[in-house]
Coordinates of all heavy atoms in Angstrom, one line a residue:
R500 N 109.0 -36.8 -165.4 CA 109.4 -36.1 -166.7 C 109.7 -34.7 -166.4 O 109.8 -33.8 -167.3 CB 108.2 -36.2 -167.7 CG 107.9 -37.6 -168.1 CD 109.1 -38.3 -168.8 NE 109.5 -37.7 -170.0 CZ 110.6 -37.9 -170.6 NH1 111.5 -38.7 -170.1 NH2 110.9 -37.4 -171.8
G501 N 110.0 -34.3 -165.1 CA 110.5 -33.0 -164.8 C 109.5 -32.0 -164.4 O 109.8 -30.8 -164.2
F502 N 108.2 -32.4 -164.2 CA 107.2 -31.5 -163.7 C 107.3 -31.3 -162.2 O 107.4 -32.2 -161.5 CB 105.8 -32.0 -164.1 CG 105.5 -31.8 -165.6 CD1 105.9 -32.8 -166.5 CD2 104.7 -30.7 -166.0 CE1 105.6 -32.6 -167.9 CE2 104.4 -30.6 -167.4 CZ 104.9 -31.5 -168.3
V503 N 107.1 -30.0 -161.8 CA 107.1 -29.7 -160.4 C 105.6 -29.3 -160.1 O 105.0 -28.5 -160.8 CB 108.0 -28.5 -160.1 CG1 107.9 -28.1 -158.7 CG2 109.4 -28.8 -160.5
A504 N 105.1 -29.9 -159.0 CA 103.7 -29.7 -158.6 C 103.5 -28.2 -158.1 O 104.3 -27.8 -157.3 CB 103.3 -30.7 -157.6
A505 N 102.5 -27.6 -158.6 CA 102.2 -26.2 -158.2 C 100.8 -26.1 -157.6 O 99.9 -26.7 -158.1 CB 102.3 -25.3 -159.4
Q506 N 100.7 -25.3 -156.6 CA 99.5 -25.0 -155.9 C 98.9 -23.6 -156.2 O 99.7 -22.7 -156.2 CB 99.7 -25.2 -154.4 CG 98.4 -25.1 -153.6 CD 98.6 -25.3 -152.1 OE1 99.2 -24.4 -151.5 NE2 98.2 -26.4 -151.5
L507 N 97.7 -23.6 -156.5 CA 97.1 -22.3 -156.9 C 96.4 -21.6 -155.8 O 95.9 -20.5 -156.0 CB 96.1 -22.5 -158.1 CG 96.7 -23.1 -159.4 CD1 95.6 -23.2 -160.5 CD2 97.9 -22.3 -159.8
G508 N 96.3 -22.2 -154.6 CA 95.6 -21.5 -153.5 C 94.7 -22.5 -152.8 O 94.7 -23.7 -153.1
P509 N 94.0 -22.0 -151.8 CA 93.2 -22.9 -150.9 C 91.9 -23.4 -151.6 O 91.3 -24.3 -151.1 CB 92.9 -22.0 -149.7 CG 92.8 -20.6 -150.3 CD 93.9 -20.6 -151.3
R510 N 91.5 -22.8 -152.7 CA 90.2 -23.2 -153.3 C 90.5 -24.2 -154.5 O 91.5 -24.1 -155.1 CB 89.5 -22.0 -153.9 CG 89.0 -21.0 -152.8 CD 88.4 -19.7 -153.4 NE 89.5 -19.0 -154.1 CZ 90.4 -18.3 -153.5 NH1 90.4 -18.2 -152.2 NH2 91.3 -17.6 -154.2
I511 N 89.6 -25.1 -154.7 CA 89.7 -26.1 -155.7 C 89.0 -25.5 -157.0 O 87.8 -25.2 -157.0 CB 88.9 -27.4 -155.4 CG1 89.5 -28.0 -154.1 CG2 89.1 -28.4 -156.5 CD1 91.0 -28.3 -154.1
L512 N 89.8 -25.3 -158.0 CA 89.3 -24.7 -159.3 C 88.9 -25.8 -160.2 O 89.4 -26.9 -160.2 CB 90.4 -23.9 -159.9 CG 91.0 -22.7 -159.1 CD1 92.1 -22.0 -159.9 CD2 89.9 -21.8 -158.6
R513 N 87.9 -25.5 -161.1 CA 87.4 -26.4 -162.1 C 88.5 -26.7 -163.1 O 89.4 -25.9 -163.3 CB 86.1 -25.8 -162.7 CG 84.9 -25.8 -161.8 CD 83.7 -25.2 -162.5 NE 83.3 -26.0 -163.6 CZ 82.1 -26.3 -163.9 NH1 81.1 -25.9 -163.1 NH2 81.8 -27.1 -164.9
A514 N 88.3 -27.8 -163.9 CA 89.2 -28.2 -164.9 C 89.4 -27.1 -166.0 O 90.5 -27.0 -166.6 CB 88.8 -29.5 -165.5
D515 N 88.4 -26.3 -166.2 CA 88.5 -25.3 -167.3 C 88.9 -23.9 -166.7 O 89.1 -23.0 -167.5 CB 87.2 -25.2 -168.1 CG 86.0 -24.9 -167.2 OD1 86.0 -25.4 -166.0 OD2 85.0 -24.4 -167.7
T516 N 89.0 -23.8 -165.4 CA 89.4 -22.6 -164.8 C 90.9 -22.6 -164.4 O 91.6 -21.6 -164.6 CB 88.6 -22.3 -163.5 OG1 87.2 -22.4 -163.8 CG2 89.0 -21.0 -162.8
A517 N 91.4 -23.7 -163.9 CA 92.8 -23.7 -163.4 C 93.8 -23.3 -164.4 O 94.7 -22.5 -164.1 CB 93.1 -25.1 -162.8
P518 N 93.8 -23.9 -165.6 CA 94.9 -23.5 -166.6 C 94.8 -22.1 -167.0 O 95.9 -21.4 -167.2 CB 94.7 -24.5 -167.7 CG 93.3 -24.9 -167.7 CD 93.0 -25.0 -166.2
L519 N 93.6 -21.6 -167.1 CA 93.5 -20.2 -167.5 C 93.9 -19.2 -166.4 O 94.4 -18.1 -166.7 CB 92.0 -19.9 -167.9 CG 91.5 -20.7 -169.2 CD1 90.0 -20.4 -169.4 CD2 92.3 -20.3 -170.4
A520 N 93.7 -19.6 -165.2 CA 94.1 -18.8 -164.0 C 95.6 -18.7 -164.1 O 96.2 -17.6 -163.8 CB 93.6 -19.4 -162.7
V521 N 96.3 -19.8 -164.3 CA 97.8 -19.7 -164.4 C 98.2 -18.8 -165.6 O 99.1 -18.0 -165.4 CB 98.4 -21.1 -164.6 CG1 99.9 -21.1 -164.8 CG2 98.1 -22.0 -163.3
L522 N 97.6 -19.0 -166.7 CA 98.0 -18.2 -167.9 C 97.7 -16.8 -167.7 O 98.6 -15.9 -168.0 CB 97.2 -18.7 -169.1 CG 97.5 -18.1 -170.5 CD1 99.0 -18.1 -170.8 CD2 96.7 -18.7 -171.6
G523 N 96.6 -16.4 -167.1 CA 96.3 -15.0 -166.8 C 97.3 -14.4 -165.9 O 97.7 -13.3 -166.0
W524 N 97.7 -15.2 -164.8 CA 98.6 -14.7 -163.9 C 100.0 -14.5 -164.5 O 100.7 -13.4 -164.3 CB 98.7 -15.7 -162.7 CG 99.6 -15.3 -161.6 CD1 99.4 -14.4 -160.6 CD2 101.0 -15.8 -161.4 NE1 100.5 -14.4 -159.8 CE2 101.4 -15.2 -160.2 CE3 101.8 -16.7 -162.0 CZ2 102.7 -15.5 -159.7 CZ3 103.0 -17.0 -161.5 CH2 103.5 -16.4 -160.3
L525 N 100.4 -15.4 -165.4 CA 101.7 -15.2 -166.1 C 101.7 -14.0 -167.0 O 102.6 -13.2 -167.1 CB 102.0 -16.5 -166.9 CG 102.5 -17.7 -166.1 CD1 102.5 -18.9 -167.0 CD2 103.8 -17.5 -165.5
A526 N 100.5 -13.8 -167.7 CA 100.4 -12.7 -168.7 C 100.5 -11.4 -167.9 O 101.2 -10.4 -168.4 CB 99.1 -12.8 -169.5
L527 N 99.8 -11.3 -166.8 CA 99.8 -10.0 -166.1 C 101.1 -9.8 -165.3 O 101.5 -8.6 -165.1 CB 98.6 -10.1 -165.0 CG 97.2 -10.0 -165.6 CD1 96.2 -10.2 -164.5 CD2 97.0 -8.7 -166.3

Side-chain angles (χ1 to χ4, degrees):
R500 299 301 294 165
F502 284 84
V503 178
Q506 188 181 65
L507 300 185
R510 293 172 297 281
I511 304 299
L512 302 182
R513 292 179 61 138
D515 54 333
T516 304
L519 295 176
V521 174
L522 182 56
W524 184 76
L525 286 171
L527 290 173

